[in-house]
Amino acid sequence: MLLTALVVGGAVPYVAGPGRSYLSYLVLAERADADGAARAAAEARAAGGQVVQEYPQIGMVLAYAGGGFAEKVRGRPGVAAVGASRTSPVPGPPRPLDGAGDFRAGTDPAAGDRAGGDRVLPGHAADGNGVRGGVGGGNGDGGGDGGDDATATVPDPGEQDAWNLALLGAAPAAGDATPNLLRGTGAPAADALRKVLVAVLDSGVDDTHPDLRAAVDPRSSASCADGRPDARTGAWRPDSGVGESGHGTHVAGIVGAARDGRGVSGVAPGVRIAAVRLLGPLGQYYAENIVCGMLWAADHGARAINNSYFADPWKYNCPEDPDQAALTAAVGRAVEYARGKGAVVVASAGNDAQDLGAPRTDERSPNDRTTGPPQSRHVGPECVRLPGELPGVVTVTAVDRDGRPSAYTNYGRGHVSLAAPGGDPDGGARGAVVSDWPGGRYAALAGTSMAAAHVTGAVAVAAALHPDWGSDRLAALLAAAAAAACPPGPHVCGDHEFYGAGTLVLPH
């Protein structure tokens, strides 16, 4: 009934078929290249699928088809895996979109010059697509809440009481409560930071916000809300008609809001931000959206890619399920491609207070259903959260303003990389992280979403200091700095179960 209402209202950009229903499928070829994508497309069409996007960088296609499609294609010559990326059908494939499909769209040699929680408390946002945390509204762990009244806003903080930045190890400037992060010895020059591009894959970014006008690079921004890159002007902005769409603006502010004495200051003020909207019209972060966003960011030269969400419809993807195994492989290929292009892939650990290295309960999957309650299933440590538990991803847990693990944060020895400021949703605006909100406003949120954004900003600073370093070396620099500042032992920041290598320290 919900889907029918959305279609009638024009909110879902799908072509209605003649009495049919469709699922979206990712078809992975054995070859992870353009020839592999061509083979995957041919096999998908032979099985009756409609191919709407090819990903030649990683040998994969997105196709729409009816039931039984995956079984027809699995095992075909040259096909490595096939998986349905959603569980609720739609009336048909996405509508045609002029200019979509070109991952090079918007690239320009002068791109540096701008033209022109899973745990939620009353009114909070967080980290992925499930529960958020903070002093606002929301109910997830990756998106936010778009410009409606569900999220309470706070007055312009005037860059004061930035406890989250102080926790990164920088001393405040004289007479100023805000740490002077980028004026100390060994800090990168402003022009060096301007050469660094980081991507915020999220619900969209409001580039009209005063703190972000100079940061968001329109030539490197796009929407991947249906798995196809859409570089039309403004496509990257949040859709106020979709719940929790303000989340990406909040995350972007933590990464790179301007330092001008007003609003908030980001970890890396002056960095260029590629705003890549993943949040789709039905409020989901499907695997094809993530793949599209990851490839777009990598092809546009991002040095860090922030992922403060988890992939829908499964909170954890288990290898014994062929659909979920295919989704893990698909996002894994995109992550490896991005890392190979020099990007550090950063992700939130999640806000379920769960040990990612132990058996646990998933009470929210599949979360794209239109009727009925979610399934409650027990999953083992082999079932992974995407993209945070993929190899090579810098996975971030959250700490409060006292440096202690936040009550909601996921954890797990060998499953998390670093800890960073995420805040305490029970501590009011002073205990949460204040950052930008659509419409020139500000909100205080808490979650591992916020923690991941701090690490992404720190990667930008490291990349400005070391422009020739690759992704592994940049990530290793942050890990080494965190470890050096943290004594070993339980219940301190050298406790690998909750902190990974340790608490984030801004590189110099």
Side-chain angles (χ1 to χ4, degrees):
M1 292 175 62
L2 172 62
L3 183 59
T4 300
L6 288 169
V7 172
V8 171
V12 183
Y14 300 108
V15 177
R20 297 183 62 188
S21 61
Y22 295 76
L23 292 176
S24 50
Y25 295 88
L26 292 175
V27 183
L28 289 73
E30 292 175 351
R31 294 187 52 165
D33 56 18
D35 288 341
R39 167 56 67 92
E43 295 295 346
R45 292 188 180 104
Q50 297 185 42
V51 176
V52 300
Q53 182 63 51
E54 294 190 13
Y55 307 103
Q57 302 96 321
I58 58 173
M60 191 173 79
V61 301
L62 168 64
Y64 278 72
F69 172 82
E71 290 74 14
K72 295 177 184 177
V73 182
R74 287 185 186 126
R76 295 289 300 163
V79 174
V82 183
S85 63
R86 65 178 72 213
T87 66
S88 290
V90 293
R95 299 183 185 280
L97 187 64
D98 291 340
D102 184 1
F103 284 95
R104 297 168 299 172
T107 56
D108 189 300
D113 299 323
R114 180 181 172 87
D118 284 14
R119 178 171 177 260
V120 181
L121 298 136
H124 303 188
D127 132 87
N129 358 305
V131 183
R132 287 69 180 170
V135 181
N139 64 338
D141 132 271
D145 186 305
D148 59 20
D149 295 330
T151 296
T153 55
V154 299
D156 184 336
E159 295 186 357
Q160 299 298 305
D161 191 28
W163 67 268
N164 52 309
L165 299 186
L167 202 60
L168 302 187
D176 185 358
T178 301
N180 205 351
L181 295 178
L182 298 181
R183 295 177 190 161
T185 302
D191 60 343
L193 263 176
R194 190 62 185 165
K195 294 177 182 177
V196 176
L197 179 73
V198 300
V200 174
L201 276 55
D202 212 288
S203 61
V205 176
D206 179 8
D207 58 341
T208 69
H209 195 290
D211 279 349
L212 296 170
R213 285 174 186 157
V216 176
D217 180 359
R219 296 185 184 91
S220 303
S221 299
S223 170
C224 280
D226 61 9
R228 303 174 297 173
D230 177 5
R232 293 178 298 175
T233 300
W236 56 83
R237 294 174 186 144
D239 180 353
S240 60
V242 180
E244 302 180 354
S245 62
H247 185 267
T249 302
H250 196 276
V251 167
I254 296 171
V255 173
R259 171 163 295 136
D260 55 11
R262 296 169 296 179
V264 298
S265 175
V267 175
V271 73
R272 287 166 39 235
I273 294 176
V276 184
R277 181 164 70 92
L278 302 189
L279 187 64
L282 294 180
Q284 304 293 328
Y285 291 77
Y286 287 119
E288 60 264 28
N289 304 14
I290 301 170
V291 167
C292 170
M294 203 75 69
L295 300 182
W296 174 274
D299 284 349
H300 284 73
R303 301 306 313 277
I305 302 176
N306 191 87
N307 303 270
S308 291
Y309 58 85
F310 64 84
D312 295 303
W314 306 98
K315 172 164 282 193
Y316 299 106
N317 290 266
C318 300
E320 64 269 19
D321 182 287
D323 289 316
Q324 295 170 38
L327 302 185
T328 300
V331 178
R333 283 191 184 186
V335 166
E336 280 305 300
Y337 179 81
R339 294 181 64 238
K341 297 279 279 188
V344 178
V345 180
V346 181
S348 54
N351 305 329
D352 293 298
Q354 292 181 330
D355 183 351
L356 299 176
R360 52 202 180 276
T361 302
D362 175 6
E363 297 180 343
R364 298 176 54 193
S365 301
N367 61 11
D368 67 340
R369 66 197 179 281
T370 55
T371 60
Q375 301 175 9
S376 179
R377 57 178 187 152
H378 297 284
V379 300
E382 75 281 0
C383 300
V384 297
R385 173 188 165 98
L386 299 177
E389 290 189 84
L390 291 171
V393 174
V394 177
T395 305
V396 188
T397 64
V399 295
D400 61 22
R401 66 181 298 151
D402 294 323
R404 296 181 300 233
S406 300
Y408 53 78
T409 189
N410 286 348
Y411 57 95
R413 182 179 292 270
H415 290 259
V416 298
S417 309
L418 290 168
D424 175 9
D426 292 325
R430 190 172 180 274
V433 179
V434 176
S435 186
D436 301 322
W437 200 250
R441 296 176 293 170
Y442 304 90
L445 309 181
T448 56
S449 285
M450 290 70 244
H454 286 84
V455 173
T456 295
V459 173
V461 173
L465 292 170
H466 307 285
D468 297 329
W469 285 16
S471 58
D472 288 345
R473 197 172 180 187
L474 292 173
L477 173 65
L478 297 189
C486 288
H491 313 302
V492 294
C493 65
D495 185 339
H496 298 307
E497 186 175 28
F498 284 96
Y499 294 87
T503 300
L504 176 68
V505 175
L506 197 71
H508 294 289

